[in-house]
């Protein structure tokens, strides 16, 4: 039973009873209710005890609504526990069967216990691979079918699952270069033929399929970061965000203090567009003078002059890995501050 | 068929990076416009804005008579070909070419007609039932072009489509793309960092640097009359030589004094520098290697390396510590450490303002 079906049943019930009724996610965020002013707000949810079917908290009594046999939503009714018992029958998903696609889906969402995992893995004859990686394609609700069609044709030997109405998960074991190529292809194909509203996020690698949810968690962290810093890219690779994630997890006041100090110390560099441009490109080109000078089309002597200039002002010799790393982080903090 | 017009286009990324600074560009219908420049100059961003893959921060973009700023890529009637011309590995060439049309719900008959027609243009009909892994690099690139052609677009947008090919194939494909442009008789916008591709394929070239357009002209004009030092340096291989010079007037004639040698300027240049009050001032003199003539009274330089190319020889030398490259006849033998003297043909030299780096005589 999908969310749309759940919401349809909910709205029929809501319009036919007088009691306050809410549909929430597992954090208590209201998805739908018969008091429209409450939409989007949060209700206090009870502590769940395994085996118990009805839970009470303040004025509401709650039941779980399951999808594919896993608790996914909460239905709460005020002051009418009998009604809740009756209503709960309407959400019974009797036709549920654990298919291979559902297995992957629940695995990504971390809904499968280890003992069940081992059994299901055998049942679906899933062989181990060297590593696994999750890619999430986020698209508009109306384009999810088109996105799935393209993804199935691009990631043909991978597991592609519709995760929710706006996300498709791809579980792959392909090498990084191939992932990048295929993601590029997907981005272009989708953007030019369907809609440019597509975000592709590539999570971290995991050794065991069972741990694929941690790849999803990393993707959620990237999502937070790109929203926070308004980062716009075609494809978001977890590896590109390692240092930003590290810095992003540092206390804000410390970062501000650090950036203020840097602004004073390296003001001459920060105000010089050429020096910043040169440094960033030098990092991009693996501290290679020849490659950088070719890419940014400056004479290698000019490039060396600029790198020496940075050394003269800051003391950082960008030709040395450690100094380059330090200066890279300084620039990153500065960029974050500006954003 | 359509022209593409960019009016005061700006692109500023959310992090504040200004990728494009108020550019104006009029790409006329059926022309092969090449956007060329070093990495980070804004050429790909410009192409992506034409495609609709990047938001335009300010300015207006037209394809034909339609302002397309807010039109989705799929509705712009464009087709793109990229460096990573990835093809669907499990599909035949036919299905690869048909895929985009299927997504757009074209009828089977229409798809078949378009794919067959594109295959005919590209000469890949015998390959239609093959899969990508059974194709050579050049054939794969042709299929990628085929995927664009079947759309029958108003404008083709190409982003470094040849850069994944080996050198020999790249030369072949350059000629094929020019022929394709001629056969299709439609507008091509082509991005490359390779000046040879730009010079050989473009009906006009737009040279970009640091988010600005430096010059838009046909290849010969760009080569012969660069607007500024950047363009002069960027186009031509080996690069143009640059030397410090002082402009002096003696007995009514104007000379550029370079390494204590006087080079008389022709009348046109002399008049311009006088008009613009450059007499007595230091300028940058630019001269291409092929415009050097061996001359005993000329600039003295010590040979460091010679490059014998068969039809010509390039001599890499040092004059007062500055590197100068000259092209000489291959029959003339010069050795490393030998001293040579040469002059540059005065009608071919360029004079650049030292501060603005603009071509004084342009």
């Amino acid at each position: 039973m999908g969310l749309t079906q759940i919401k349809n049943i909910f709205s029929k019930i809501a319009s036919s009873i007088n009691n306050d009724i809410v549909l929430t996610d597992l954090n208590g965020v209201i998805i739908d209710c018969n008091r429209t002013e409450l939409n989007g707000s949060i209700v206090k949810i009870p502590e769940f005890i395994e085996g118990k079917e009805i839970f009470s908290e303040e004025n509401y009594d709650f039941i779980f609504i399951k999808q594919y046999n896993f608790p996914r939503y909460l239905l709460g009714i005020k002051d009418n526990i009998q009604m809740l018992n009756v209503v709960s029958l309407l959400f019974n998903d009797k036709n549920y069967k654990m298919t291979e696609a559902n297995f992957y889906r629940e695995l990504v969402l971390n809904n499968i216990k280890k003992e069940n995992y081992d059994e299901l893995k055998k049942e679906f004859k899933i062989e181990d691979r060297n590593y696994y990686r999750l890619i999430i394609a986020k698209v508009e609700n109306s384009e999810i079918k088109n996105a799935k069609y393209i993804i199935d044709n691009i990631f043909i030997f991978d597991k592609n699952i519709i995760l929710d109405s706006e996300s498709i998960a791809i579980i792959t074991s392909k090498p990084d270069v191939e992932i990048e190529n295929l993601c590029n292809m997907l981005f272009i194909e989708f953007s030019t033929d369907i809609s440019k509203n597509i975000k592709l996020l590539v999570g971290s690698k995991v050794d065991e399929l069972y741990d694929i949810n941690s790849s999803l968690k990393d993707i959620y962290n990237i999502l937070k970061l790109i929203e926070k810093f308004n980062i716009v890219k075609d494809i978001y690779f977890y590896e590109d965000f390692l240092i930003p994630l590290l810095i992003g997890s540092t206390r804000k006041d410390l970062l501000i203090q650090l950036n203020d100090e840097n602004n004073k110390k390296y003001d001459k560099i920060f105000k010089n567009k050429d020096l910043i441009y040169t440094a960033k490109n030098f990092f991009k080109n693996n501290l290679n003078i020849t490659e950088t000078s070719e890419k940014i089309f400056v004479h290698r002597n000019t490039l060396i002059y600029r790198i020496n200039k940075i050394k003269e002002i800051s003391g950082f010799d960008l030709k040395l890995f450690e100094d380059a790393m330090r200066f890279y982080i300084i620039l990153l903090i500065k960029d974050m501050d500006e954003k | 068929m359509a022209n593409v017009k960019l009016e005061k286009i700006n692109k500023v990324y959310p992090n504040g990076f200004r990728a494009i600074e108020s550019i104006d560009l009029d790409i006329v219908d059926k022309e092969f416009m090449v956007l060329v420049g070093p990495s980070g100059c804004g050429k790909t961003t410009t192409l992506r804005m034409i495609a609709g893959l990047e938001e335009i921060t300010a300015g207006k973009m037209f394809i034909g008579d339609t302002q397309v700023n807010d039109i989705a890529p799929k509705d712009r009637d464009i087709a793109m070909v990229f460096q990573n011309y990835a093809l669907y590995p499990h599909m035949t060439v036919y299905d690869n070419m048909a895929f985009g049309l299927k997504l757009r719900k074209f009828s089977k008959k229409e798809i078949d007609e378009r794919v067959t027609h594109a295959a005919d243009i590209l000469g890949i009909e015998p390959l239609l039932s093959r899969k990508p892994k059974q194709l050579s690099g050049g054939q794969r690139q042709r299929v990628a072009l085929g995927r664009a052609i079947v759309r029958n677009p108003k404008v083709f947008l190409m982003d470094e489509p040849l850069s994944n090919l080996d050198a020999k194939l790249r030369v072949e494909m350059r000629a094929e793309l020019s022929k394709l442009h001629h056969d299709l008789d439609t507008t091509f916008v082509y991005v490359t960092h390779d000046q040879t591709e730009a010079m050989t394929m473009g009906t006009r070239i737009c040279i970009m640097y640091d988010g600005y357009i430096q010059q838009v002209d046909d290849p010969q004009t760009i080569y012969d009359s660069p607007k500024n030092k950047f363009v002069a340096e960027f186009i031509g291989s080996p690069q143009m030589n640059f030397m410090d010079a002082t402009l002096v007037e003696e007995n009514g004639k104007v000379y550029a004094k370079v390494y204590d040698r006087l080079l008389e300027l022709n009348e046109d240049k002399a008049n311009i520098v006088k008009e613009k009050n450059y007499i007595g001032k230091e300028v940058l003199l630019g001269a291409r290697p092929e415009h050097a003539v061996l001359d005993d009274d000329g600039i003295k330089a010590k040979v460091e390396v010679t490059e014998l190319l068969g039809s010509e020889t390039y001599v890499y030398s040092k004059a007062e510590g500055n590197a100068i490259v000259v092209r000489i006849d291959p029959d003339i033998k010069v050795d490393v450490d030998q001293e040579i003297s040469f002059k540059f043909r005065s009608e071919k030299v360029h004079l650049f303002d030292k501060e603005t780096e603009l071509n004084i005589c342009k």
Side-chain angles (χ1 to χ4, degrees), chain B residues 87-96 127-136 139-140 143:
Chain B
L87 303 173
Y88 296 105
H90 62 300
M91 288 185 193
T92 60
V93 168
Y94 182 99
D95 288 335
N96 262 289
L127 309 177
L128 284 176
S129 56
R130 290 201 198 162
K131 294 208 172 150
K133 67 177 176 189
Q134 297 169 293
L135 306 176
S136 68
Q139 287 169 333
R140 279 183 210 170
V143 178

Side-chain angles (χ1 to χ4, degrees), chain A residues 151-169:
Chain A
I151 286 169
D152 284 344
N153 277 289
I154 292 178
F155 292 89
I156 41 171
F157 300 116
D158 296 312
K159 297 294 165 197
N160 312 320
I161 319 124
I162 293 181
L163 213 54
D164 58 47
S165 60
E166 293 176 346
S167 316
I168 296 170

Side-chain angles (χ1 to χ4, degrees), chain A residues 143 146 149-150 152-154 156-157 181-182 184-185 187-189 191-196 229-232 234 273-274 277 280-281 294-299 306 335 338-339, chain B residues 13-15 17 21 38-41 48 52-55 73-75 78 80 82 84 86-91 96 99-100 102-105 147 151 209-210 230 233-234 239:
Chain A
E143 303 299 355
N146 280 327
Y149 177 65
I150 298 177
D152 284 344
N153 277 289
I154 292 178
I156 41 171
F157 300 116
N181 275 342
L182 295 176
N184 267 322
M185 189 175 175
F187 179 83
I188 296 299
E189 199 80 65
S191 316
T192 52
D193 276 328
I194 310 291
S195 155
K196 67 174 177 176
F229 297 114
N230 208 1
I231 300 166
V232 181
D234 292 350
K273 202 179 151 192
D274 285 341
Y277 177 69
K280 284 184 176 175
N281 276 284
E294 275 172 12
K295 288 269 170 63
I296 65 171
F297 199 69
V298 296
H299 194 276
R306 289 181 188 171
D335 283 351
E338 281 170 3
K339 281 165 211 161
Chain B
Y13 283 100
N15 65 5
F17 175 69
E21 298 274 4
S39 175
C41 70
R48 286 170 61 100
L53 298 176
E54 294 279 357
E55 299 281 343
K74 70 182 172 76
D75 301 321
I78 47 114
M80 298 192 78
F82 289 89
N84 296 319
L87 303 173
Y88 296 105
H90 62 300
M91 288 185 193
N96 262 289
F99 190 76
K102 279 183 191 164
L103 273 179
R104 290 175 181 234
K105 314 267 186 270
R147 295 184 66 202
R151 289 159 193 259
Y209 182 57
D210 204 16
F230 175 80
E233 202 174 6
F234 189 74
Q239 284 180 2

